[in-house]
């Protein structure tokens, strides 16, 4: 029994222990209060401008057993999901924009679970306001009708705007734009629109006012910044008319006219008055207060004023009527008045236009014949014109003017009252030109000045001009350029000159003539102006290729003008090339060319360009000729007499060539000649210089070395002389004049002495009979084939212009003497000397040249021993 009692308590304790071990406690959220950012989200509040994606809260709880917990958010059916939660971390993120104006609180069921037990709580999240709404006007548009007599300061309308925000963001104040420019004010809190104090509305000045009202909230935070929103609306204020303005006359001042032919009862003018209140105008009643003197009446309803007497019964020239306009209400009561003055003038009727008169009465055409270019300021006395206007006063005042070519004539007087004599005066004499106008036509116009009718009349003025000789003949050009071939026969036309004289009749007929130093070979037709050559004239471009002279055109009164004529004679190929010698004999040293020359006397290229060729040679293929220069040389393979002896059996080596000189003209002319060439290997005569030249002919560097040595010695001598002169002058303390040194120099020997030893000799050759003989003057080597060290002849100067008729050409080649061998022939004689056989100077020159030629030719042909 004791054992049983002991077992019972221990069993109970074990059973309790097992029950406790098997129990599971639910997890729970921490409640950290309203300002906490973690816990169970109780009392959480969020601003509606919280950005989507923001971490807004962290769910936080625990499990009593220490098991891990998870979190979750659920919503009631149909509710929008604003948040999402991280199940493990409990981070709650905003996933939808909040809008307090649509939903100011959000219900969310938050839950925590330890895997076995889940605890859920419903929490309510408050959405706080942000200033994200703008004020909005309600009951728009705002249109207000206000009578124009509404007192200043009175309220006329109330505008209203609402803002869905709360707090300062939902409070609204009102104000007007351009407060200083309009007539209204607004209460900033109530929105009541009033007329400004001291301001009244006036329908007649402005019937509608547009007032821009602004509603502005009190501002508030929005996404961290303070924002203020506003809205505008327009209030249209229509002003209603009230009868508060008297009538007004329009079209003032009023003037009327009664003319001499106006009938009694005729309407003179109409006055018009309108009610100043245009919204609801009253009708107008008219009456004449005074000034009519029983002569005028007015229509009460229309305001038309009429004359009731005939014009000849009116006692005054000017009437001033005082007219009253009164408003008549709808009840027929005449109320406010307005007054106007009407001036009516009784005037003469303007029923006569200005009229032109001639010597025999009214006339509308006047004619005159006169010479051109009258003196300026001259009066056209042949025109007898009078103008008249029969009206009186201002109706008889008119202006005169000429209508036509301007600036030629002027009319006097320009303003006329009643009547005047018309005078026309020359203003521009140069414009009165028969060549431009045979007839000048004008309109003489008279037009009234101050009348409403502006009556006018016209008359034709026709002036016929007579011609005078006032023009000088004029050539179509200041100069004429012509070309004519030199082979043109006498009487050939060269050029036609043209001159004109616009004068008529005999004054316009011209006669042509030419004069001047270049006109001797030419004539001109006196009436046609064709210039042609004299029948006997022979043009030659080689003699004179340029002519210029003057041509004159003259009218019958002796008035004339000049032009210059330039004539160029064109060269024609009319000369053949001519060799300098009729029969030429040349000596050719092997290795040196010989040269032939022919001259073509044509004046221009290509007529005077000569080409050379070998027409015939026996044997052939021995010589070459330069086509342009005429140089003849042996073929390149012929370098010695032995080669020539192998070609031909003619041991004396004299060759005959037929050479041709041909110009390039069209047609082309040519000349042939027989040329004898003696080929030799010539050696220099014995002597120091000759021996040296022979030794150095194959070694030019040696010759240059010797030359350099000689020049060095000369420089050294010059230095020594200069040094000696310097020391001498230094001792004498003065510098000797240069001329003393020059005087001490010895005169160099003449060229004849220096050249004596330079002679060529060929012992066994036909050329031996010719030796060099120095003349007083330097001899020119015509063939350019000698090796004599002679000072070169300077080149011939260019051809000058054609010489005078009796002077020979300065460019004719001089007499030439062969320097080695050959025949002596006369120099080329200028063709001009052949042509000009007249004149004593010319004949004497030809005779002298002929005698020299015959003398030298005879001496040359004498046999040499």
């Amino acid at each position: 029994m004791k054992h049983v009692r002991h077992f019972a308590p221990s069993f109970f304790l074990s059973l309790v222990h097992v029950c406790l071990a098997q129990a599971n406690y639910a997890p729970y959220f921490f409640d950290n209060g309203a300002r906490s950012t973690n816990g169970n989200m109780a009392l959480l509040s969020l601003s509606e401008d919280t950005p989507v994606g923001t971490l807004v809260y962290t769910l936080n709880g625990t499990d009593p057993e220490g098991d891990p917990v998870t979190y979750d958010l659920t919503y009631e059916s149909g509710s929008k999901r604003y948040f999402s939660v991280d199940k493990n971390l409990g981070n709650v993120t905003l996933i939808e924009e909040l809008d307090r104006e649509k939903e100011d609180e959000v219900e969310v069921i938050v839950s925590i679970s330890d895997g076995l037990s889940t605890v859920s709580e419903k929490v309510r999240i408050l959405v706080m306001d942000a200033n994200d709404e703008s004020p909005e006007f309600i009951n728009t548009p705002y249109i207000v009708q206000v009578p124009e007599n509404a007192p200043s300061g009175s309220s006329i309308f109330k505008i209203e705007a609402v803002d869905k925000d709360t707090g300062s963001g939902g409070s609204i104040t009102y104000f007007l734009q351009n407060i200083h420019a309009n007539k209204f004010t607004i209460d900033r809190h109530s929105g009541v629109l009033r007329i400004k104090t001291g301001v009244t509305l006036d329908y007649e000045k402005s019937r509608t006012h547009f007032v821009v009202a602004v509603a502005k909230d009190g501002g508030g935070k929005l996404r961290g910044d303070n924002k203020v929103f506003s809205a505008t609306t327009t209030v249209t204020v229509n002003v209603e008319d009230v009868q508060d303005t008297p009538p007004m006359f329009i079209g003032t001042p009023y003037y009327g006219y009664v003319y001499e032919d106006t009938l009694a009862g005729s309407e003179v003018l109409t006055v018009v008055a309108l009610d100043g209140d245009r919204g609801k105008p009253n009708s107008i009643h008219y009456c004449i207060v005074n000034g009519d003197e029983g002569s005028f009446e007015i229509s009460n309803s229309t305001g038309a004023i009429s004359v009731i007497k005939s014009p000849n019964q009116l006692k005054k020239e000017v009437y001033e009527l005082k007219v009253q306009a009164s408003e008549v209400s709808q009840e027929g009561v005449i109320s406010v008045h307005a007054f106007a003055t009407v001036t009516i003038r009784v005037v003469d009727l303007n029923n006569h236009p200005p009229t032109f008169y001639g010597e025999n009465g009214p006339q509308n055409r006047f004619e005159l014949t006169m010479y051109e270019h009258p003196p300026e300021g001259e009066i056209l006395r042949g025109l007898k014109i009078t103008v008249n206007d029969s009206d009186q006063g201002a109706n008889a005042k008119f202006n005169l003017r000429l209508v036509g070519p301007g600036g030629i004539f002027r009319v006097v007087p320009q303003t006329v009252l009643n009547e005047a004599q018309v005078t026309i005066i020359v203003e521009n004499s140069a414009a009165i030109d028969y060549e431009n106008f045979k007839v000048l036509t004008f309109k003489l116009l008279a037009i009234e000045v101050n009348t409403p009718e502006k009556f006018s009349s016209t008359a034709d003025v026709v002036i016929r001009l007579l011609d005078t000789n006032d023009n000088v003949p004029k050539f179509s050009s200041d100069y004429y350029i012509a070309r004519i071939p030199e082979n043109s026969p006498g009487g050939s036309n060269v050029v036609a000159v043209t001159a004109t004289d616009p004068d008529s009749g005999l004054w316009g007929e011209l006669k042509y003539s030419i004069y001047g130093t270049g006109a001797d070979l030419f004539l001109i037709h006196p009436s046609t102006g064709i210039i042609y050559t004299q029948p006997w004239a022979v043009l030659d471009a080689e003699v004179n290729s340029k002519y210029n002279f003057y041509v004159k055109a003259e009218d019958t009164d002796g008035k004339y003008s000049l032009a210059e004529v330039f004539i160029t004679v064109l060269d024609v190929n009319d000369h053949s090339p001519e060799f300098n010698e009729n029969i030429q004999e040349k000596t050719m040293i092997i290795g040196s060319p010989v040269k032939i020359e022919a001259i073509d006397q044509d004046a221009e290229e290509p007529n005077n360009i000569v080409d050379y060729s070998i027409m015939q040679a026996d044997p052939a293929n021995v010589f070459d000729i330069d086509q342009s220069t005429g140089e003849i040389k042996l073929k390149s393979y012929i370098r010695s007499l032995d080669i020539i002896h192998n070609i031909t059996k003619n041991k004396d080596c004299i060759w005959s060539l037929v050479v041709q000189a041909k110009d390039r003209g069209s047609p082309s002319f040519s000349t042939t000649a027989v040329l004898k060439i003696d080929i030799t290997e010539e050696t220099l005569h014995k002597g120091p210089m000759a021996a040296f030249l022979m030794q150095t002919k194959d070694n030019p560097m040696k010759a240059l070395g010797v030359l350099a040595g000689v020049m060095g010695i000369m420089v050294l001598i010059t230095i020594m002389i200069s040094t000696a002169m310097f020391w001498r002058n230094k001792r004498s303390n003065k510098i000797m004049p240069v001329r003393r040194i020059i005087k001490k120099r010895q005169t160099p020997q003449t060229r004849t002495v220096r050249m004596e030893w330079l002679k060529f000799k060929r012992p066994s050759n036909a050329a031996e009979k010719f030796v060099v003989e120095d003349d007083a003057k330097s001899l020119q080597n015509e063939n350019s084939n000698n090796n004599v060290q002679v000072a070169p002849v300077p080149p011939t100067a260019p051809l000058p212009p054609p010489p005078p008729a009796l002077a020979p050409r300065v460019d004719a080649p001089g007499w030439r003497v062969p320097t080695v061998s050959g025949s002596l022939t006369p120099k080329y004689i200028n063709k001009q000397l052949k042509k000009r056989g007249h004149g004593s100077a010319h004949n004497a020159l030809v005779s002298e040249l002929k005698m020299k030629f015959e003398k030298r030719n005879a001496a040359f042909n004498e046999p040499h021993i």
Side-chain angles (χ1 to χ4, degrees):
M1 198 61 191
K2 182 179 179 181
H3 176 75
V4 171
R5 284 194 302 270
H6 178 74
F7 174 76
S10 78
F11 175 79
F12 179 76
L13 291 173
S14 297
L15 180 64
V16 170
H17 179 74
V18 169
C19 291
L20 290 174
Q22 292 178 350
N24 181 33
Y25 293 97
Y28 60 90
F29 285 103
F30 294 124
D31 188 0
N32 295 326
R35 297 184 179 276
S36 176
T37 59
N38 64 78
N40 60 355
M41 287 184 73
L43 302 177
L44 175 64
S45 61
L46 292 175
S47 177
E48 63 176 332
D49 62 347
T50 302
V52 174
T54 303
L55 176 65
V56 297
Y57 201 81
T58 301
L59 294 176
N60 193 6
T62 187
D63 182 70
E65 291 81 15
D67 293 331
V69 295
T70 59
Y71 305 95
D72 195 10
L73 295 178
T74 59
Y75 298 86
E76 292 184 357
S77 178
S79 298
K80 182 182 291 187
R81 297 177 59 85
Y82 285 96
F83 306 97
S84 65
V85 66
D86 186 306
K87 293 184 178 297
N88 297 318
L89 300 178
N91 292 333
V92 179
T93 304
L94 181 66
I95 61 174
E96 186 72 30
E97 281 190 356
L98 300 174
D99 190 347
R100 187 201 65 81
E101 286 74 31
K102 294 181 179 179
E103 193 171 359
D104 58 357
E105 62 180 29
V106 179
E107 290 185 351
V108 182
I109 299 173
V110 299
S111 60
I112 183 171
S113 175
D114 61 359
L116 295 177
S117 301
T118 300
V119 176
S120 299
E121 296 181 12
K122 179 183 285 188
V123 294
R124 190 170 289 171
I125 300 169
L126 299 179
V127 180
M128 306 303 292
D129 187 46
N131 190 24
D132 60 345
E133 298 289 337
S134 299
E136 293 182 2
F137 288 96
I138 60 176
N139 301 322
T140 57
Y142 298 134
I143 300 175
V144 185
Q145 304 293 333
V146 181
E148 66 175 335
N149 59 354
S152 63
S154 60
S155 61
I156 57 174
F157 191 69
K158 181 181 180 180
I159 61 177
E160 186 176 0
V162 296
D163 192 320
K164 297 178 182 179
D165 292 320
T166 61
S168 64
S171 64
I172 297 176
T173 57
Y174 303 93
F175 62 91
L176 300 181
Q177 288 184 354
N178 300 324
I179 185 65
H180 300 291
N182 57 51
K183 299 176 179 293
F184 306 93
T185 61
I186 191 171
D187 187 278
R188 60 178 309 208
H189 299 292
S190 65
V192 174
L193 190 66
R194 291 184 174 87
I195 301 174
K196 277 185 181 180
T197 302
V199 174
T200 58
L201 303 179
D202 192 342
Y203 176 84
E204 287 70 35
K205 293 181 179 180
S206 180
R207 301 181 183 184
T208 304
H209 300 273
F210 298 97
V211 182
V212 180
V214 180
K216 181 177 72 172
D217 64 17
K221 292 289 184 179
L222 177 64
R223 296 182 181 89
D225 296 328
N226 190 48
K227 295 289 183 180
V228 177
F229 293 98
S230 62
T232 61
T233 188
T234 300
V235 181
T236 302
V237 180
N238 293 325
V239 180
E240 295 179 342
D241 190 24
V242 175
Q243 286 295 330
D244 60 350
T245 305
M248 296 178 296
F249 282 97
I250 61 174
T252 58
Y254 293 113
Y255 295 97
Y257 298 92
V258 177
Y259 298 99
E260 57 182 349
D261 60 347
T262 302
L263 299 177
S266 299
E267 181 179 322
V268 178
L269 78 160
T270 299
V271 296
V272 177
L274 300 176
D275 186 355
D277 303 306
R278 300 306 301 154
K280 298 176 182 178
N282 290 327
S283 59
I284 303 297
H285 179 271
Y286 302 94
C287 65
I288 297 176
V289 178
N290 57 44
D292 61 323
E293 298 182 5
S295 300
F296 301 92
E297 63 180 6
I298 189 170
S299 172
N300 294 333
S301 59
T302 64
I305 299 175
S306 303
V307 60
I308 57 177
K309 293 181 179 180
S310 61
N312 55 7
Q313 294 176 328
L314 300 177
K315 305 299 184 182
K316 299 169 62 177
E317 290 186 1
V318 178
Y319 290 85
E320 291 187 352
L321 310 182
K322 184 176 182 180
V323 178
Q324 174 183 290
S326 306
E327 288 188 23
V328 180
S329 65
Q330 296 180 355
E331 293 78 16
V333 178
I334 296 177
S335 55
V336 292
H337 314 287
F339 300 93
T341 300
V342 179
T343 302
I344 299 178
R345 184 179 299 275
V346 180
V347 296
D348 174 47
L349 181 65
N350 183 26
N351 53 1
H352 295 93
T355 305
F356 291 100
Y357 295 88
E359 294 180 338
N360 299 320
Q363 187 174 332
N364 59 7
R365 182 180 178 87
F366 300 88
E367 297 185 7
L368 175 66
T369 300
M370 59 181 290
Y371 284 103
E372 62 178 338
H373 303 305
E376 292 184 1
E378 180 176 312
I379 298 173
L380 304 187
R381 303 186 183 279
L383 295 175
K384 305 294 184 180
I385 307 174
T386 304
V387 64
N388 174 270
D389 191 326
S390 301
D391 292 317
Q392 300 299 319
N395 291 336
K397 186 177 181 180
F398 55 91
N399 288 337
L400 285 176
R401 69 169 182 247
L402 279 176
V403 180
I408 299 178
F409 298 100
R410 61 186 176 92
V411 62
V412 176
Q414 295 183 349
T415 302
V416 179
L417 183 62
N418 289 116
E419 183 175 322
Q421 183 75 32
V422 179
T423 301
I424 297 178
I425 302 174
V426 175
E427 193 170 36
N428 185 357
S429 176
I432 307 173
D433 192 349
Y434 177 83
E435 285 70 36
N436 293 331
F437 307 101
K438 303 295 187 293
V439 178
L440 291 172
T441 301
F442 298 87
K443 287 283 188 183
L444 184 57
L445 173 65
I447 183 170
E448 293 178 347
V449 179
N450 299 321
T451 63
E453 297 82 7
K454 298 291 183 182
F455 286 145
S456 64
S457 61
T458 61
D460 294 327
V461 178
V462 179
I463 300 175
R464 305 186 186 279
L465 298 180
L466 300 176
D467 192 21
T468 61
N469 189 20
D470 60 330
N471 291 285
V472 176
K474 184 178 181 181
F475 281 97
S476 59
S477 176
D478 292 335
Y479 56 88
Y480 295 88
I481 299 175
R483 296 174 178 84
I484 182 171
E486 64 177 340
N487 60 353
S488 300
S492 298
N493 290 345
V494 180
V495 66
V497 299
T498 304
T500 56
D501 189 330
D503 291 321
S504 62
L506 295 176
W507 292 323
E509 295 182 2
L510 301 180
K511 179 182 179 181
Y512 298 96
S513 59
I514 59 176
Y515 66 93
T517 57
D520 296 341
L521 299 182
F522 302 94
L523 297 172
I524 188 170
H525 194 283
S527 58
T528 63
I530 297 176
I531 298 175
Y532 56 94
T533 59
Q534 294 271 12
W536 47 266
V538 177
L539 302 177
D540 194 337
E542 291 74 39
V543 177
N544 190 2
S545 62
K546 303 290 183 181
Y547 296 90
N548 75 289
F549 49 85
Y550 291 94
V551 59
K552 180 168 72 173
E554 185 177 11
D555 63 17
T556 54
D557 266 2
K559 292 184 177 181
Y560 68 91
S561 63
L562 301 176
E564 196 166 1
V565 179
F566 298 88
I567 298 176
T568 300
V569 179
L570 301 177
D571 184 45
V572 176
N573 192 22
D574 56 351
H575 292 86
S576 299
E578 295 183 9
F579 286 102
N580 288 356
E581 298 88 5
N582 293 330
I583 300 174
Q584 298 186 14
E585 293 184 3
K586 301 284 186 180
T587 296
M588 176 182 290
I589 299 174
I590 292 178
S592 299
V594 296
K595 184 177 180 181
I596 61 174
E597 184 177 6
I599 297 178
D600 192 312
Q601 289 301 306
D602 285 311
E604 299 176 0
E605 296 181 0
N607 296 336
N608 57 7
I609 298 178
V610 179
D611 293 330
Y612 302 92
S613 62
I614 298 175
M615 303 298 295
Q616 183 179 350
D618 185 19
N621 299 324
V622 174
F623 298 97
D624 285 330
I625 189 169
D626 188 297
Q627 178 181 351
S628 301
T629 64
E631 286 188 349
I632 301 175
K633 59 184 177 179
L634 293 173
K635 296 284 187 178
S636 60
Y637 65 87
I638 301 176
R639 299 179 181 177
S640 66
L641 286 177
D642 295 336
I643 297 175
I644 296 176
H645 292 161
N646 293 333
I647 295 174
T648 178
K649 296 180 180 180
N650 188 1
K651 299 304 179 180
D652 59 1
C653 297
I654 297 178
W655 303 73
S656 294
L657 303 180
V658 178
V659 292
Q660 181 189 61
K662 183 178 181 180
D663 63 28
R664 297 185 184 179
S666 179
S668 178
F669 293 100
S670 63
T671 302
T672 58
V674 177
L675 173 65
K676 292 182 179 182
I677 299 179
D678 183 6
I679 302 176
T680 182
E681 289 182 335
E682 188 64 68
T683 59
L684 296 174
H685 291 286
K686 300 301 180 178
M689 183 60 70
F692 175 76
L693 293 176
M694 289 301 295
Q695 292 175 5
T696 60
K697 69 177 182 177
D698 296 326
N699 190 359
M701 297 303 297
K702 184 177 180 181
L704 290 176
V706 173
L707 179 61
V710 173
M711 293 178 65
I713 293 173
M714 293 176 65
V715 171
L716 181 60
I717 293 172
T718 303
I719 293 174
M720 295 175 62
I721 294 172
S722 300
T723 304
M725 292 176 61
F726 172 78
W727 286 107
R728 189 184 66 176
N729 292 336
K730 186 174 183 182
R731 292 192 194 98
S732 62
N733 199 22
K734 65 178 180 179
I735 298 176
M736 299 300 291
V738 177
R739 62 177 177 269
R740 296 183 181 180
I741 299 174
I742 295 174
K743 288 180 180 179
K744 292 180 181 181
R745 293 179 183 174
Q746 295 182 358
T747 304
Q749 295 180 354
T750 62
R751 179 175 169 186
T752 305
V753 176
R754 291 200 312 267
M755 303 295 289
E756 280 281 325
W757 60 274
L758 255 182
K759 297 183 180 179
F760 292 89
K761 182 177 181 182
R762 185 180 178 192
S764 59
N765 198 291
E768 186 181 24
K769 54 187 177 181
F770 300 104
V771 295
V772 176
E773 296 180 0
D774 288 341
D775 202 344
K777 297 182 180 178
S778 298
L779 300 181
Q780 179 180 355
N781 182 3
E782 181 187 21
N783 299 326
S784 302
N785 60 351
N786 59 322
N787 295 321
V788 182
Q789 301 298 318
V790 184
V793 179
T796 306
L799 292 178
L806 296 179
R809 284 198 173 186
V810 298
D811 61 340
W815 292 88
R816 300 179 181 177
V817 179
T819 57
V820 179
S821 64
S823 59
L824 182 63
T825 57
K827 71 172 184 178
Y828 176 77
I829 299 175
N830 194 305
K831 188 188 78 168
Q832 302 307 319
L833 299 179
K834 298 177 184 178
K835 291 187 175 183
R836 295 172 184 152
H838 56 281
S840 59
H842 174 71
N843 293 335
L845 180 60
V846 173
S847 300
E848 182 182 356
L849 294 175
K850 186 175 181 182
M851 291 173 62
K852 287 185 178 181
F853 167 75
E854 292 175 350
K855 181 178 178 181
R856 294 200 179 192
N857 198 24
F860 202 87
N861 291 332
E862 289 178 359
H864 292 262
I865 301 174

